[in-house]
Amino acid sequence: MSQEISPLAGKPAPASILVDLDKLLAAYAELRPDPGVAAQRVAFGTSGHRGSSLAHSFNAWHILAISQAICDYRRREGIDGPLFIGADTHALSQPALETALEVLVANGVETLISADGEFTPTPAVSHAILVYNQGRSAGLADGIVITPSHNPPDNGGFKYNPPNGGPADTSITQWVQDRANALLEGGLKEVRRVAYAQARKSPLVHAHDFLGSYVGDLANIVDFDVIRAAGLRLGVDPLGGAGVHYWGAIAERYQLPLEVVSEVVDPQFAFMSVDWDGKIRMDPSSRYAMARLIGLKDKYDVAFAADTDHDRHGIVARSVGLLPANHYLTVLVEYLFRHRPRWGGAAAVGKTVVSTALIDRVAKRLGRPLYEVPVGFKWFAPGLYAGSLGFGCEESAGASTLRFDGGAWSTDKDGLVPGLLAAEMTAREGRDPGELYARIAAELGTPYSSRVDAAATSAQKAKLKALSPAQITAKELAGEPIVQVLDKAPANGAAIGGIKVVTANGWFAARPSGTESIYKIYAESFQDEAHLQRLLEEAQGVVDGALAGA
């Protein structure tokens, strides 16, 4: 079983695939979604509402409805502190920010936007919420992040973060989604709105120094002294994302030998190399999208990148090139829990059900509890907020961790800190993350893993999501007895939105994407590549059976 790779993959983006920005922005302002069409309704996936204005799925009407729904939710829950709002560098993010401000001001919401129009990473918004709310029991702040993450340039995204700073949980997103769709169905008659020029001048809108606050606090989560002392050569590629100006500020403040490969911001993302499927996607865990930085690996001891809203990381080590996300997450768990002595002894290791099982083995050796949850960073937010989770990670290169003192840093994913931690561990250990991973794998077992994406209709995705353990009748998987079949996460009993089948030396999981028209099959073997391929083939058979007739 293999994934079809585009002949454009890893090559510079040709002009023929670049988005027409004028057409994209005109569609945002002019096209109206039909709430009677499922694909044009508000739909919160694993992290907010995403879509394209060209497909009638991310237009001004969506943002007006969602913003009003968030205002209604705040009133319902008595959330009356300021709202922090940030936007990334996607073309649709700025108009969506302006639309949201029109509604927030009309609803009397005190709103904090970035100073001087600076782009704002997702973790900087989460950090701002937590810093503001510390020690408060009333007048709590919350936030909105406008980003479709690493999705293609024609996409927009809109996320809500409640007062715990993390992504909103399902109970919140369902309420906001339902309310927003009711507003769409009503022709937006209940939406309060003022003109943007009036909103921007409103005394309710204040500038906030997200960059200065975030960068100035990093010394409480990263050991810059050990990095400086090691004399490392460091590189970073912001991939034209929201943290583009943060890296230079970090290098200057903490006197780091950190070279920013490029500070180009281009909403067409024409500088990107093309991803595996022929699309432009700012995915720092993709060797195709990361071709530029991988090509520079021998210039640096360690280098890193982040996606468009800087909530995902990519690590390039001199020893191996781009580390697979699961490899570096394993290294982070091993390193952090050995070098953060002020964390509570009971602080757990958080991972999703489709993250590598090598993390399970590392956690067991460390004597730390494992907290395994469905895909979606929202499941980690309460534990990071309370300090009961030392670290939470998703297999798609998303992670966040605690401060040195065990306090919350960001309860949303943070793509900057893992990059800086790669420099810290290289400096302290004298080995880069690729070498550190090789040591762990030699001691605890080498996993062979793969993920395959395939197109799926809404009906097929719904059928796959509803799979239950009772539908898995096989007793063996790839020659081994099946020891566990899961449709709920071990840590919290929440539905994983698919199925996971486990043996002693391997597993597979199948689930529909929450943001794209695809399904995903994940598999991992602790035997060899041949065993991995058997896992994938048999997993495909299970999925084919589930989708038959959909």
Side-chain angles (χ1 to χ4, degrees):
M1 171 180 188
S2 61
Q3 188 164 264
E4 186 175 347
I5 304 300
S6 167
L8 293 176
K11 298 177 181 177
S16 60
I17 71 169
L18 300 182
V19 65
D20 183 328
L21 294 178
D22 290 338
K23 186 176 179 181
L24 185 74
L25 296 173
Y28 173 84
E30 297 167 7
L31 297 185
R32 293 187 178 183
D34 180 352
V37 177
Q40 298 182 29
R41 291 171 66 82
V42 172
F44 277 79
T46 50
S47 189
H49 172 79
R50 295 182 187 174
S52 173
S53 62
L54 300 173
H56 290 79
S57 53
F58 192 91
N59 307 93
W61 270 46
H62 292 103
I63 306 309
L64 289 166
I66 298 170
S67 299
Q68 183 62 54
I70 289 171
C71 291
D72 294 345
Y73 175 80
R74 295 179 99 243
R75 272 191 292 272
R76 176 176 177 264
E77 296 298 316
I79 301 170
D80 56 2
L83 183 143
F84 293 89
I85 188 167
D88 75 2
T89 57
H90 274 83
L92 292 174
S93 294
Q94 182 60 35
L97 173 64
E98 295 176 5
T99 302
L101 272 182
E102 294 174 357
V103 177
L104 294 169
V105 168
N107 281 269
V109 177
E110 182 184 0
T111 306
L112 285 85
I113 63 174
S114 63
D116 301 319
E118 181 62 59
F119 304 112
T120 309
T122 287
V125 174
S126 179
H127 176 269
I129 294 169
L130 294 176
V131 169
Y132 183 88
N133 287 343
Q134 187 171 15
R136 297 177 188 267
S137 57
L140 298 178
D142 55 359
I144 291 172
V145 189
I146 303 174
T147 174
S149 190
H150 61 290
N151 279 23
D154 69 343
N155 275 218
F158 204 83
K159 304 191 299 182
Y160 174 64
N161 288 33
N164 74 0
D169 66 30
T170 308
S171 65
I172 299 173
T173 56
Q174 188 67 54
W175 193 96
V176 171
Q177 173 183 298
D178 292 347
R179 175 60 176 151
N181 282 320
L183 291 166
L184 284 179
E185 290 164 0
L188 303 185
K189 290 174 184 170
E190 295 182 68
V191 173
R192 302 177 188 175
R193 182 184 188 186
V194 299
Y196 175 67
Q198 179 183 345
R200 190 63 187 82
K201 295 176 183 176
S202 169
L204 290 169
V205 177
H206 311 288
H208 179 73
D209 186 8
F210 286 98
L211 188 156
S213 175
Y214 179 92
V215 171
D217 205 11
L218 280 169
N220 290 304
I221 194 169
V222 177
D223 189 341
F224 291 107
D225 292 337
V226 74
I227 298 174
R228 277 193 301 272
L232 300 175
R233 288 175 295 175
L234 306 173
V236 61
D237 190 344
L239 300 179
V244 63
H245 300 134
Y246 281 56
W247 295 106
I250 291 168
E252 180 178 0
R253 182 179 181 95
Y254 297 107
Q255 300 175 351
L256 300 183
L258 174 62
E259 180 182 351
V260 182
V261 170
S262 172
E263 289 193 337
V264 171
V265 173
D266 169 17
Q268 287 185 305
F269 293 90
F271 55 83
M272 287 294 298
S273 51
V274 179
D275 205 6
W276 67 272
D277 57 353
K279 295 182 180 180
I280 296 175
R281 191 179 285 109
M282 289 62 69
D283 182 355
S285 61
S286 164
R287 68 179 187 272
Y288 303 107
M290 286 280 282
R292 177 167 66 184
L293 194 59
I294 294 170
L296 297 172
K297 79 176 182 67
D298 293 332
K299 186 177 179 181
Y300 307 109
D301 295 297
V302 66
F304 26 92
D307 69 339
T308 321
D309 68 319
H310 271 48
D311 74 341
R312 301 183 192 216
H313 61 270
I315 307 299
V316 175
R318 184 191 292 270
S319 64
V320 296
L322 179 68
L323 269 79
N326 273 316
H327 292 198
Y328 184 57
L329 294 172
T330 301
V331 173
L332 273 174
V333 171
E334 173 83 8
Y335 177 80
L336 286 168
F337 282 89
R338 291 194 184 281
H339 294 281
R340 296 298 187 264
R342 295 170 65 190
W343 291 2
V349 177
K351 56 162 271 192
T352 61
V353 292
V354 293
S355 299
T356 177
L358 189 55
I359 290 176
D360 306 37
R361 299 183 180 193
V362 170
K364 183 177 180 181
R365 182 166 72 175
L366 290 167
R368 292 285 178 167
L370 186 73
Y371 190 78
E372 188 173 0
V373 299
V375 172
F377 210 78
K378 61 193 175 190
W379 303 110
F380 299 126
L384 290 167
Y385 185 76
S388 59
L389 274 183
F391 180 77
C393 67
E394 291 188 313
E395 75 299 330
S396 54
S400 194
T401 188
L402 300 178
R403 297 167 178 265
F404 289 129
D405 65 4
W409 166 260
S410 169
T411 47
D412 211 327
K413 298 188 291 286
D414 189 323
L416 294 96
V417 167
L420 296 168
L421 289 174
E424 180 190 319
M425 68 176 66
T426 303
R428 177 169 276 118
E429 303 285 341
R431 300 182 185 185
D432 71 32
E435 295 167 319
L436 295 173
Y437 174 79
R439 183 173 67 186
I440 295 170
E443 295 167 348
L444 297 178
T446 299
Y448 300 84
S449 60
S450 184
R451 188 186 103 185
V452 177
D453 298 351
T457 65
S458 296
Q460 289 173 326
K461 288 171 63 177
K463 203 161 189 178
L464 180 56
K465 187 175 181 179
L467 262 183
S468 71
Q471 292 172 264
I472 308 299
T473 57
K475 302 300 180 185
E476 288 192 350
L477 175 67
E480 290 191 306
I482 292 172
V483 298
Q484 200 173 28
V485 181
L486 301 171
D487 65 346
K488 294 181 174 61
N492 57 7
I496 64 176
I499 205 81
K500 182 176 181 179
V501 181
V502 184
T503 69
N505 291 292
W507 59 270
F508 85 82
R511 57 177 292 273
S513 169
T515 59
E516 298 181 83
S517 297
I518 59 173
Y519 68 81
K520 307 175 184 182
I521 295 177
Y522 308 78
E524 183 171 63
S525 166
F526 278 87
Q527 290 186 3
D528 52 32
E529 284 286 350
H531 184 238
L532 172 64
Q533 290 308 309
R534 282 191 66 186
L535 286 168
L536 285 168
E537 288 166 6
E538 294 186 23
Q540 186 69 63
V542 172
V543 173
D544 288 344
L547 299 185

